[in-house]
Amino acid sequence: MSTLARYVLSLPGIRTVASKFQGMYVSVVDSECRKLGLYYDDLLNEYLDDHRRALDMLPEEEKVMREKRIRRAMDLQLKKTYLHPDLQKDVDVWHPYIRSRLPLVRKQIIEEQAYKRLNDGSALCAGAKMNWSWRQFVIIAGSSMAPNDKVKFLSSQQAD
């Protein structure tokens, strides 16, 4: 959260107003998704990298069901109609089939970025991966050197 947002929320009475708007937003999204037979996760932007990866992780059956829900919603919107009220009751709008996978996907993205940073400009020395950044060597796990050898190796490299 930004500094401005923290400041605004610290003002007296703002949190109460914000929580009321949050409740209204949730109820409107819930009712509109029910009318069209959508889950909230169907509304997420699939062109964001982490959402795209989460969608790729879905089982094929879940992908097909998602596509059917979206097509049905577009059809209902074009016809300016809504789902039958009996069917609306069966819709679990807040089923987190994508949002539940996002923490894992974000962790994978962070690991991939860290791996790329470690391997850019890295050198192999005695079985250890070394990272050149900031003129310091950082030993990454997997080294075959003993701890005392690592310290000697690092101090001799930094002296150069």
Side-chain angles (χ1 to χ4, degrees), residues 86-101:
D86 292 338
L87 293 175
Q88 288 181 21
K89 293 176 186 174
D90 296 336
V91 177
D92 180 18
V93 174
W94 304 106
H95 173 65
Y97 71 97
I98 293 177
R99 288 175 292 151
S100 63
R101 290 175 170 81

Side-chain angles (χ1 to χ4, degrees), residues 114-160:
Y115 181 76
K116 285 179 185 176
R117 276 194 305 255
L118 288 175
N119 286 329
D120 289 345
S122 64
L124 282 176
C125 182
K129 283 201 176 212
M130 312 297 279
N131 188 356
W132 276 93
S133 64
W134 302 101
R135 297 182 185 204
Q136 296 176 349
F137 287 88
V138 179
I139 302 275
I140 308 300
S143 172
S144 60
M145 287 192 271
N148 291 337
D149 295 338
K150 291 179 188 178
V151 173
K152 290 176 191 173
F153 180 76
L154 286 173
S155 59
S156 69
Q157 290 298 320
Q158 289 177 351
D160 291 344

Side-chain angles (χ1 to χ4, degrees), residues 64-76:
V64 170
M65 295 302 295
R66 178 180 188 271
E67 187 175 331
K68 285 182 179 181
R69 285 190 303 271
I70 292 172
R71 285 184 181 194
R72 178 180 58 193
M74 288 190 305
D75 184 50
L76 290 170

Side-chain angles (χ1 to χ4, degrees), residues 21-41:
F21 278 117
Q22 179 183 8
M24 289 179 358
Y25 171 77
V26 168
S27 65
V28 167
V29 168
D30 185 79
S31 67
E32 290 299 315
C33 285
R34 281 188 194 284
K35 290 176 187 176
L36 298 172
L38 290 172
Y39 293 168
Y40 180 75
D41 284 7

